[in-house]
Amino acid sequence: MTGTSHRAAPEHTHPDDVSVPAAFAALADPVRLTLVRELANSPEWARSCGSFDVPVGKAALSHHFAVLRAAGLVEQRDEGPRRVNRLRRAEFEARFPGLLALVLRDDIRQG
Amino acid sequence: MTGTSHRAAPEHTHPDDVSVPAAFAALADPVRLTLVRELANSPEWARSCGSFDVPVGKAALSHHFAVLRAAGLVEQRDEGPRRVNRLRRAEFEARFPGLLALVLRDDIRQG
């Protein structure tokens, strides 16, 4: 094993391997919707997992990121002590056309 | 109480009162996706609850319809012994533009 992190590398699922129900389930949570929207407004790989303003503890946050990875929405990599993120915008859009756009529209009341 | 049915009339939620996470949660299930797609391909009020080809029992089916009503996706009324359904296509589209269309597109692999 190489690198400075003791954590296992995160496992990812490509959007092409994600079902429609799994994609909707990943987006059926207010915390995950906040993570997706904040990532959409940030440069790729700019945001560490601890940088999001969501009202959940570390274990819950880790679970939410696992769900987003499994739905093909988020890619993560470790940079030293930081785990950084990017939204898989193009790949997810190719698999589910218009779905991310719907979540990110600010003319739709999101509450 | 009037009418021939002993059941309580179904309770409905208007799509305007449905949150984004609740809408996605309602669509995050393969049985409910099947119900929505079959309703979209049927005339309004033509389909009774028992007319759908889904691999679930009566109690589970009743739960799925309750979730669809609570998400503003389905309206139901009793006609004698039959409970019949319509998809709230226009109202749901007004609240969540493009979401139903995405579910109903047949050029997207839905599995």
Side-chain angles (χ1 to χ4, degrees):
Chain A
M1 193 172 163
T2 59
T4 57
S5 173
H6 294 279
R7 293 178 295 185
E11 290 185 23
H12 293 92
T13 304
H14 192 279
D16 285 352
D17 298 320
V18 174
S19 72
V20 168
F24 282 125
L27 295 168
D29 180 275
V31 169
R32 292 195 292 272
L33 284 171
T34 297
L35 297 175
V36 165
R37 290 188 195 115
E38 289 200 22
L39 278 172
N41 292 320
S42 309
E44 294 198 342
W45 308 119
R47 302 292 299 268
S48 68
C49 291
S51 72
F52 296 91
D53 185 22
V54 286
V56 295
K58 199 169 171 178
L61 188 62
S62 177
H63 164 73
H64 286 306
F65 275 114
V67 172
L68 292 174
R69 290 198 310 271
L73 277 159
V74 166
E75 190 177 0
Q76 298 186 309
R77 69 184 185 203
D78 291 330
E79 293 185 350
R82 299 169 78 227
R83 177 160 286 183
V84 291
N85 297 273
R86 80 169 185 96
L87 189 62
R88 305 182 75 160
R89 204 160 182 161
E91 308 102 287
F92 195 85
E93 169 68 18
R95 171 72 179 97
F96 303 103
L99 184 50
L100 258 185
L102 189 81
V103 169
L104 301 175
R105 282 175 63 156
D106 55 13
D107 61 332
I108 299 179
R109 180 171 50 83
Q110 298 282 351
Chain B
M1 194 172 165
T2 60
T4 57
S5 172
H6 294 279
R7 292 178 297 186
E11 289 185 23
H12 292 92
T13 303
H14 192 280
D16 285 352
D17 297 320
V18 174
S19 71
V20 169
F24 281 125
L27 295 167
D29 180 276
V31 170
R32 292 196 292 272
L33 285 171
T34 297
L35 298 175
V36 165
R37 290 189 194 114
E38 290 201 21
L39 279 173
N41 291 323
S42 307
E44 295 199 341
W45 308 119
R47 302 292 297 270
S48 68
C49 291
S51 71
F52 296 90
D53 185 22
V54 286
V56 296
K58 198 170 172 179
L61 188 62
S62 177
H63 164 73
H64 286 306
F65 275 114
V67 172
L68 292 174
R69 290 198 310 271
L73 276 159
V74 166
E75 190 177 0
Q76 298 186 309
R77 68 183 184 204
D78 291 330
E79 293 185 349
R82 299 169 79 229
R83 177 161 288 184
V84 291
N85 297 273
R86 80 170 185 95
L87 189 62
R88 305 181 76 160
R89 205 160 181 161
E91 308 101 287
F92 196 85
E93 169 68 16
R95 169 72 178 96
F96 302 104
L99 184 51
L100 258 185
L102 188 83
V103 168
L104 301 175
R105 282 175 64 155
D106 56 13
D107 61 332
I108 298 179
R109 178 171 52 83
Q110 297 284 353

Short mmCIF file of all heavy atoms in Angstrom, two decimals, chain A residues 18-77:
data_model
loop_
_atom_site.label_atom_id
_atom_site.label_comp_id
_atom_site.label_asym_id
_atom_site.label_seq_id
_atom_site.Cartn_x
_atom_site.Cartn_y
_atom_site.Cartn_z
N VAL A 18 -25.97 2.58 -12.63
CA VAL A 18 -26.93 2.97 -11.59
C VAL A 18 -28.35 2.86 -12.14
O VAL A 18 -28.62 3.27 -13.27
CB VAL A 18 -26.64 4.42 -11.12
CG1 VAL A 18 -27.70 4.91 -10.15
CG2 VAL A 18 -25.25 4.49 -10.50
N SER A 19 -29.26 2.29 -11.35
CA SER A 19 -30.66 2.17 -11.77
C SER A 19 -31.40 3.48 -11.52
O SER A 19 -30.98 4.31 -10.71
CB SER A 19 -31.35 1.03 -11.01
OG SER A 19 -31.56 1.41 -9.67
N VAL A 20 -32.54 3.64 -12.20
CA VAL A 20 -33.38 4.82 -11.98
C VAL A 20 -33.83 4.91 -10.51
O VAL A 20 -33.68 5.98 -9.90
CB VAL A 20 -34.59 4.82 -12.94
CG1 VAL A 20 -35.62 5.87 -12.54
CG2 VAL A 20 -34.12 5.06 -14.38
N PRO A 21 -34.34 3.83 -9.91
CA PRO A 21 -34.73 3.96 -8.49
C PRO A 21 -33.57 4.35 -7.58
O PRO A 21 -33.74 5.14 -6.65
CB PRO A 21 -35.27 2.56 -8.14
CG PRO A 21 -35.72 1.99 -9.43
CD PRO A 21 -34.77 2.52 -10.47
N ALA A 22 -32.37 3.82 -7.85
CA ALA A 22 -31.21 4.16 -7.01
C ALA A 22 -30.83 5.63 -7.16
O ALA A 22 -30.45 6.29 -6.19
CB ALA A 22 -30.02 3.27 -7.37
N ALA A 23 -30.95 6.16 -8.37
CA ALA A 23 -30.64 7.58 -8.58
C ALA A 23 -31.63 8.46 -7.82
O ALA A 23 -31.23 9.41 -7.14
CB ALA A 23 -30.68 7.90 -10.08
N PHE A 24 -32.92 8.11 -7.90
CA PHE A 24 -33.91 8.90 -7.17
C PHE A 24 -33.72 8.77 -5.67
O PHE A 24 -33.85 9.74 -4.93
CB PHE A 24 -35.33 8.48 -7.56
CG PHE A 24 -35.78 9.04 -8.88
CD1 PHE A 24 -36.24 8.22 -9.89
CD2 PHE A 24 -35.76 10.41 -9.10
CE1 PHE A 24 -36.65 8.74 -11.11
CE2 PHE A 24 -36.17 10.95 -10.32
CZ PHE A 24 -36.62 10.11 -11.33
N ALA A 25 -33.40 7.57 -5.19
CA ALA A 25 -33.21 7.37 -3.75
C ALA A 25 -32.05 8.22 -3.24
O ALA A 25 -32.12 8.79 -2.14
CB ALA A 25 -32.97 5.89 -3.44
N ALA A 26 -30.99 8.33 -4.04
CA ALA A 26 -29.84 9.13 -3.62
C ALA A 26 -30.22 10.60 -3.47
O ALA A 26 -29.67 11.32 -2.63
CB ALA A 26 -28.69 8.98 -4.61
N LEU A 27 -31.16 11.05 -4.29
CA LEU A 27 -31.56 12.46 -4.27
C LEU A 27 -32.75 12.71 -3.35
O LEU A 27 -33.21 13.84 -3.22
CB LEU A 27 -31.89 12.92 -5.69
CG LEU A 27 -30.69 12.90 -6.66
CD1 LEU A 27 -31.14 13.07 -8.09
CD2 LEU A 27 -29.69 14.00 -6.28
N ALA A 28 -33.24 11.67 -2.68
CA ALA A 28 -34.43 11.79 -1.84
C ALA A 28 -34.07 12.12 -0.41
O ALA A 28 -34.68 11.61 0.53
CB ALA A 28 -35.25 10.50 -1.90
N ASP A 29 -33.08 12.96 -0.22
CA ASP A 29 -32.63 13.30 1.12
C ASP A 29 -32.13 14.74 1.13
O ASP A 29 -31.30 15.11 0.29
CB ASP A 29 -31.50 12.35 1.54
CG ASP A 29 -30.99 12.66 2.92
OD1 ASP A 29 -30.12 13.55 3.04
OD2 ASP A 29 -31.47 12.06 3.89
N PRO A 30 -32.60 15.56 2.07
CA PRO A 30 -32.22 16.98 2.06
C PRO A 30 -30.73 17.22 2.26
O PRO A 30 -30.17 18.16 1.67
CB PRO A 30 -33.04 17.60 3.19
CG PRO A 30 -33.65 16.48 3.94
CD PRO A 30 -33.61 15.24 3.10
N VAL A 31 -30.07 16.40 3.09
CA VAL A 31 -28.62 16.59 3.28
C VAL A 31 -27.89 16.29 1.99
O VAL A 31 -27.01 17.04 1.55
CB VAL A 31 -28.10 15.70 4.43
CG1 VAL A 31 -26.57 15.69 4.46
CG2 VAL A 31 -28.65 16.19 5.77
N ARG A 32 -28.24 15.18 1.32
CA ARG A 32 -27.55 14.84 0.07
C ARG A 32 -27.83 15.87 -1.02
O ARG A 32 -26.95 16.18 -1.83
CB ARG A 32 -27.92 13.43 -0.37
CG ARG A 32 -27.36 12.37 0.57
CD ARG A 32 -27.39 10.97 -0.02
NE ARG A 32 -28.70 10.42 -0.20
CZ ARG A 32 -29.38 9.72 0.73
NH1 ARG A 32 -28.85 9.52 1.93
NH2 ARG A 32 -30.57 9.22 0.47
N LEU A 33 -29.06 16.41 -1.04
CA LEU A 33 -29.35 17.46 -2.02
C LEU A 33 -28.47 18.68 -1.77
O LEU A 33 -27.97 19.30 -2.71
CB LEU A 33 -30.83 17.84 -1.96
CG LEU A 33 -31.81 16.86 -2.59
CD1 LEU A 33 -33.26 17.26 -2.27
CD2 LEU A 33 -31.63 16.80 -4.11
N THR A 34 -28.25 19.02 -0.50
CA THR A 34 -27.38 20.15 -0.18
C THR A 34 -25.95 19.87 -0.64
O THR A 34 -25.29 20.75 -1.24
CB THR A 34 -27.40 20.43 1.34
OG1 THR A 34 -28.72 20.80 1.71
CG2 THR A 34 -26.44 21.55 1.70
N LEU A 35 -25.45 18.67 -0.39
CA LEU A 35 -24.09 18.32 -0.82
C LEU A 35 -23.97 18.45 -2.35
O LEU A 35 -22.99 19.02 -2.86
CB LEU A 35 -23.74 16.90 -0.39
CG LEU A 35 -23.71 16.63 1.13
CD1 LEU A 35 -23.48 15.15 1.41
CD2 LEU A 35 -22.65 17.48 1.83
N VAL A 36 -24.95 17.93 -3.07
CA VAL A 36 -24.91 17.98 -4.54
C VAL A 36 -24.92 19.42 -5.03
O VAL A 36 -24.15 19.81 -5.91
CB VAL A 36 -26.09 17.17 -5.13
CG1 VAL A 36 -26.29 17.48 -6.61
CG2 VAL A 36 -25.85 15.68 -4.93
N ARG A 37 -25.79 20.24 -4.43
CA ARG A 37 -25.89 21.64 -4.88
C ARG A 37 -24.63 22.42 -4.55
O ARG A 37 -24.17 23.23 -5.36
CB ARG A 37 -27.11 22.30 -4.24
CG ARG A 37 -28.41 21.76 -4.80
CD ARG A 37 -29.62 22.56 -4.31
NE ARG A 37 -30.83 21.80 -4.58
CZ ARG A 37 -31.65 21.29 -3.66
NH1 ARG A 37 -31.40 21.49 -2.38
NH2 ARG A 37 -32.71 20.60 -4.02
N GLU A 38 -24.05 22.18 -3.37
CA GLU A 38 -22.82 22.90 -3.03
C GLU A 38 -21.67 22.47 -3.94
O GLU A 38 -20.86 23.28 -4.38
CB GLU A 38 -22.46 22.71 -1.55
CG GLU A 38 -23.42 23.44 -0.62
CD GLU A 38 -22.82 23.67 0.77
OE1 GLU A 38 -21.58 23.66 0.91
OE2 GLU A 38 -23.61 23.86 1.72
N LEU A 39 -21.62 21.16 -4.25
CA LEU A 39 -20.57 20.69 -5.17
C LEU A 39 -20.74 21.30 -6.56
O LEU A 39 -19.76 21.62 -7.23
CB LEU A 39 -20.59 19.17 -5.26
CG LEU A 39 -19.88 18.44 -4.12
CD1 LEU A 39 -20.13 16.94 -4.23
CD2 LEU A 39 -18.38 18.74 -4.13
N ALA A 40 -22.00 21.46 -6.98
CA ALA A 40 -22.25 22.03 -8.31
C ALA A 40 -21.76 23.47 -8.40
O ALA A 40 -21.44 23.96 -9.49
CB ALA A 40 -23.74 21.96 -8.63
N ASN A 41 -21.71 24.14 -7.25
CA ASN A 41 -21.29 25.54 -7.23
C ASN A 41 -19.82 25.71 -6.85
O ASN A 41 -19.38 26.82 -6.57
CB ASN A 41 -22.17 26.33 -6.26
CG ASN A 41 -23.59 26.46 -6.75
OD1 ASN A 41 -23.83 26.65 -7.94
ND2 ASN A 41 -24.55 26.34 -5.85
N SER A 42 -19.07 24.61 -6.84
CA SER A 42 -17.66 24.65 -6.45
C SER A 42 -16.81 24.07 -7.57
O SER A 42 -17.27 23.20 -8.32
CB SER A 42 -17.41 23.82 -5.18
OG SER A 42 -18.31 24.17 -4.16
N PRO A 43 -15.55 24.51 -7.71
CA PRO A 43 -14.66 23.86 -8.69
C PRO A 43 -14.45 22.39 -8.32
O PRO A 43 -14.53 22.02 -7.14
CB PRO A 43 -13.34 24.65 -8.56
CG PRO A 43 -13.71 25.93 -7.88
CD PRO A 43 -14.89 25.63 -7.00
N GLU A 44 -14.17 21.57 -9.33
CA GLU A 44 -13.91 20.15 -9.08
C GLU A 44 -12.72 19.98 -8.13
O GLU A 44 -11.72 20.67 -8.25
CB GLU A 44 -13.62 19.42 -10.39
CG GLU A 44 -14.83 19.40 -11.32
CD GLU A 44 -14.70 18.34 -12.41
OE1 GLU A 44 -13.58 17.87 -12.65
OE2 GLU A 44 -15.74 17.97 -12.99
N TRP A 45 -12.83 19.05 -7.21
CA TRP A 45 -11.77 18.68 -6.25
C TRP A 45 -11.44 19.81 -5.27
O TRP A 45 -10.44 19.73 -4.57
CB TRP A 45 -10.49 18.25 -6.96
CG TRP A 45 -10.69 17.19 -8.00
CD1 TRP A 45 -10.42 17.30 -9.33
CD2 TRP A 45 -11.20 15.87 -7.81
NE1 TRP A 45 -10.74 16.13 -9.98
CE2 TRP A 45 -11.22 15.23 -9.07
CE3 TRP A 45 -11.63 15.16 -6.68
CZ2 TRP A 45 -11.66 13.93 -9.24
CZ3 TRP A 45 -12.07 13.86 -6.85
CH2 TRP A 45 -12.08 13.27 -8.12
N ALA A 46 -12.28 20.85 -5.22
CA ALA A 46 -11.98 21.96 -4.31
C ALA A 46 -12.51 21.70 -2.90
O ALA A 46 -11.99 22.26 -1.93
CB ALA A 46 -12.57 23.26 -4.85
N ARG A 47 -13.55 20.84 -2.78
CA ARG A 47 -14.23 20.72 -1.50
C ARG A 47 -13.85 19.44 -0.78
O ARG A 47 -14.03 18.33 -1.31
CB ARG A 47 -15.75 20.73 -1.73
CG ARG A 47 -16.26 21.99 -2.44
CD ARG A 47 -16.13 23.21 -1.55
NE ARG A 47 -16.91 23.08 -0.34
CZ ARG A 47 -18.18 23.50 -0.22
NH1 ARG A 47 -18.78 24.07 -1.23
NH2 ARG A 47 -18.80 23.38 0.93
N SER A 48 -13.35 19.59 0.44
CA SER A 48 -13.14 18.42 1.29
C SER A 48 -14.46 18.05 1.96
O SER A 48 -15.38 18.86 2.04
CB SER A 48 -12.07 18.71 2.35
OG SER A 48 -12.57 19.67 3.26
N CYS A 49 -14.53 16.81 2.45
CA CYS A 49 -15.79 16.34 3.04
C CYS A 49 -16.21 17.18 4.23
O CYS A 49 -17.40 17.33 4.50
CB CYS A 49 -15.65 14.88 3.45
SG CYS A 49 -15.52 13.77 2.04
N GLY A 50 -15.24 17.74 4.94
CA GLY A 50 -15.58 18.52 6.13
C GLY A 50 -16.00 19.95 5.85
O GLY A 50 -16.34 20.70 6.76
N SER A 51 -16.01 20.33 4.57
CA SER A 51 -16.24 21.74 4.23
C SER A 51 -17.70 22.09 4.00
O SER A 51 -18.00 23.23 3.63
CB SER A 51 -15.43 22.10 2.98
OG SER A 51 -16.01 21.50 1.82
N PHE A 52 -18.60 21.11 4.17
CA PHE A 52 -20.01 21.37 3.84
C PHE A 52 -20.80 21.75 5.08
O PHE A 52 -20.58 21.19 6.16
CB PHE A 52 -20.63 20.13 3.18
CG PHE A 52 -20.00 19.79 1.87
CD1 PHE A 52 -18.91 18.92 1.82
CD2 PHE A 52 -20.46 20.35 0.70
CE1 PHE A 52 -18.31 18.63 0.61
CE2 PHE A 52 -19.87 20.06 -0.51
CZ PHE A 52 -18.78 19.18 -0.56
N ASP A 53 -21.70 22.67 4.90
CA ASP A 53 -22.52 23.16 6.02
C ASP A 53 -23.80 22.35 6.10
O ASP A 53 -24.84 22.75 5.62
CB ASP A 53 -22.82 24.65 5.80
CG ASP A 53 -23.57 25.24 6.99
OD1 ASP A 53 -23.48 24.66 8.10
OD2 ASP A 53 -24.25 26.26 6.80
N VAL A 54 -23.69 21.16 6.68
CA VAL A 54 -24.86 20.29 6.84
C VAL A 54 -24.95 19.85 8.30
O VAL A 54 -23.93 19.64 8.96
CB VAL A 54 -24.78 19.06 5.91
CG1 VAL A 54 -25.07 19.46 4.46
CG2 VAL A 54 -23.44 18.36 6.02
N PRO A 55 -26.19 19.70 8.80
CA PRO A 55 -26.39 19.46 10.24
C PRO A 55 -26.33 17.99 10.62
O PRO A 55 -27.24 17.46 11.24
CB PRO A 55 -27.81 20.02 10.46
CG PRO A 55 -28.51 19.73 9.17
CD PRO A 55 -27.46 19.84 8.08
N VAL A 56 -25.23 17.32 10.24
CA VAL A 56 -25.08 15.90 10.59
C VAL A 56 -23.67 15.64 11.10
O VAL A 56 -22.73 16.38 10.79
CB VAL A 56 -25.37 14.97 9.37
CG1 VAL A 56 -26.82 15.09 8.93
CG2 VAL A 56 -24.44 15.27 8.20
N GLY A 57 -23.53 14.56 11.87
CA GLY A 57 -22.22 14.19 12.41
C GLY A 57 -21.36 13.50 11.36
O GLY A 57 -21.78 13.27 10.23
N LYS A 58 -20.14 13.19 11.77
CA LYS A 58 -19.14 12.66 10.84
C LYS A 58 -19.55 11.30 10.25
O LYS A 58 -19.38 11.05 9.06
CB LYS A 58 -17.80 12.53 11.58
CG LYS A 58 -16.59 12.42 10.68
CD LYS A 58 -15.30 12.56 11.48
CE LYS A 58 -14.10 12.23 10.59
NZ LYS A 58 -12.83 12.41 11.34
N ALA A 59 -20.11 10.42 11.09
CA ALA A 59 -20.49 9.09 10.60
C ALA A 59 -21.64 9.19 9.60
O ALA A 59 -21.64 8.54 8.55
CB ALA A 59 -20.89 8.19 11.77
N ALA A 60 -22.63 10.04 9.92
CA ALA A 60 -23.76 10.22 9.01
C ALA A 60 -23.29 10.83 7.69
O ALA A 60 -23.72 10.43 6.60
CB ALA A 60 -24.84 11.08 9.65
N LEU A 61 -22.37 11.81 7.79
CA LEU A 61 -21.87 12.44 6.58
C LEU A 61 -21.15 11.42 5.70
O LEU A 61 -21.31 11.40 4.47
CB LEU A 61 -20.92 13.59 6.96
CG LEU A 61 -20.45 14.47 5.81
CD1 LEU A 61 -21.63 15.18 5.14
CD2 LEU A 61 -19.44 15.52 6.31
N SER A 62 -20.37 10.56 6.33
CA SER A 62 -19.66 9.52 5.59
C SER A 62 -20.65 8.60 4.86
O SER A 62 -20.43 8.21 3.70
CB SER A 62 -18.80 8.73 6.57
OG SER A 62 -18.14 7.67 5.93
N HIS A 63 -21.74 8.26 5.54
CA HIS A 63 -22.80 7.44 4.91
C HIS A 63 -23.40 8.17 3.71
O HIS A 63 -23.58 7.58 2.63
CB HIS A 63 -23.89 7.11 5.92
CG HIS A 63 -25.16 6.62 5.29
ND1 HIS A 63 -25.27 5.36 4.73
CD2 HIS A 63 -26.35 7.23 5.07
CE1 HIS A 63 -26.48 5.21 4.23
NE2 HIS A 63 -27.16 6.33 4.42
N HIS A 64 -23.69 9.46 3.86
CA HIS A 64 -24.29 10.21 2.75
C HIS A 64 -23.35 10.23 1.53
O HIS A 64 -23.79 10.08 0.39
CB HIS A 64 -24.64 11.63 3.18
CG HIS A 64 -25.84 11.72 4.08
ND1 HIS A 64 -27.06 11.18 3.74
CD2 HIS A 64 -26.01 12.28 5.31
CE1 HIS A 64 -27.93 11.41 4.71
NE2 HIS A 64 -27.31 12.06 5.68
N PHE A 65 -22.06 10.42 1.78
CA PHE A 65 -21.11 10.41 0.66
C PHE A 65 -21.04 9.02 0.01
O PHE A 65 -20.90 8.90 -1.20
CB PHE A 65 -19.73 10.88 1.10
CG PHE A 65 -19.58 12.38 1.08
CD1 PHE A 65 -19.40 13.09 2.25
CD2 PHE A 65 -19.62 13.08 -0.11
CE1 PHE A 65 -19.28 14.47 2.24
CE2 PHE A 65 -19.50 14.46 -0.14
CZ PHE A 65 -19.32 15.16 1.04
N ALA A 66 -21.15 7.97 0.82
CA ALA A 66 -21.15 6.61 0.25
C ALA A 66 -22.35 6.41 -0.67
O ALA A 66 -22.25 5.81 -1.74
CB ALA A 66 -21.14 5.57 1.37
N VAL A 67 -23.52 6.92 -0.27
CA VAL A 67 -24.72 6.82 -1.10
C VAL A 67 -24.52 7.60 -2.41
O VAL A 67 -24.87 7.12 -3.49
CB VAL A 67 -25.96 7.32 -0.34
CG1 VAL A 67 -27.18 7.38 -1.26
CG2 VAL A 67 -26.25 6.43 0.86
N LEU A 68 -23.94 8.78 -2.30
CA LEU A 68 -23.72 9.60 -3.51
C LEU A 68 -22.70 8.93 -4.44
O LEU A 68 -22.86 8.98 -5.67
CB LEU A 68 -23.24 11.01 -3.11
CG LEU A 68 -24.29 11.88 -2.39
CD1 LEU A 68 -23.66 13.18 -1.90
CD2 LEU A 68 -25.48 12.17 -3.30
N ARG A 69 -21.68 8.30 -3.89
CA ARG A 69 -20.73 7.57 -4.75
C ARG A 69 -21.42 6.39 -5.43
O ARG A 69 -21.23 6.16 -6.62
CB ARG A 69 -19.54 7.03 -3.92
CG ARG A 69 -18.58 8.09 -3.41
CD ARG A 69 -17.22 7.47 -3.00
NE ARG A 69 -17.36 6.31 -2.12
CZ ARG A 69 -17.41 6.37 -0.80
NH1 ARG A 69 -17.31 7.53 -0.18
NH2 ARG A 69 -17.52 5.28 -0.08
N ALA A 70 -22.25 5.66 -4.67
CA ALA A 70 -22.92 4.48 -5.21
C ALA A 70 -23.95 4.84 -6.27
O ALA A 70 -24.32 3.99 -7.09
CB ALA A 70 -23.59 3.69 -4.07
N ALA A 71 -24.42 6.08 -6.25
CA ALA A 71 -25.39 6.53 -7.25
C ALA A 71 -24.71 7.18 -8.45
O ALA A 71 -25.39 7.68 -9.35
CB ALA A 71 -26.39 7.51 -6.62
N GLY A 72 -23.38 7.19 -8.44
CA GLY A 72 -22.67 7.80 -9.57
C GLY A 72 -22.70 9.30 -9.58
O GLY A 72 -22.44 9.94 -10.61
N LEU A 73 -23.01 9.90 -8.43
CA LEU A 73 -23.13 11.36 -8.38
C LEU A 73 -21.84 12.06 -7.98
O LEU A 73 -21.62 13.21 -8.37
CB LEU A 73 -24.24 11.77 -7.39
CG LEU A 73 -25.67 11.73 -7.95
CD1 LEU A 73 -26.69 11.64 -6.84
CD2 LEU A 73 -25.93 12.98 -8.79
N VAL A 74 -21.03 11.39 -7.18
CA VAL A 74 -19.84 12.03 -6.62
C VAL A 74 -18.63 11.14 -6.78
O VAL A 74 -18.73 9.91 -6.63
CB VAL A 74 -20.08 12.37 -5.11
CG1 VAL A 74 -18.78 12.71 -4.41
CG2 VAL A 74 -21.08 13.50 -4.97
N GLU A 75 -17.51 11.76 -7.12
CA GLU A 75 -16.22 11.07 -7.14
C GLU A 75 -15.34 11.67 -6.05
O GLU A 75 -15.36 12.88 -5.83
CB GLU A 75 -15.55 11.21 -8.51
CG GLU A 75 -14.34 10.32 -8.67
CD GLU A 75 -13.72 10.42 -10.08
OE1 GLU A 75 -14.23 11.19 -10.90
OE2 GLU A 75 -12.71 9.74 -10.31
N GLN A 76 -14.59 10.79 -5.36
CA GLN A 76 -13.74 11.25 -4.27
C GLN A 76 -12.32 10.73 -4.45
O GLN A 76 -12.12 9.66 -5.02
CB GLN A 76 -14.27 10.73 -2.92
CG GLN A 76 -15.66 11.22 -2.58
CD GLN A 76 -16.08 10.80 -1.18
OE1 GLN A 76 -15.99 9.63 -0.83
NE2 GLN A 76 -16.53 11.75 -0.39
N ARG A 77 -11.37 11.49 -3.94
CA ARG A 77 -9.99 10.98 -3.88
C ARG A 77 -9.32 11.59 -2.65
O ARG A 77 -9.71 12.66 -2.17
CB ARG A 77 -9.23 11.29 -5.17
CG ARG A 77 -8.93 12.75 -5.39
CD ARG A 77 -8.26 12.98 -6.75
NE ARG A 77 -7.88 14.37 -6.90
CZ ARG A 77 -7.69 14.99 -8.06
NH1 ARG A 77 -7.87 14.32 -9.20
NH2 ARG A 77 -7.33 16.25 -8.11
#
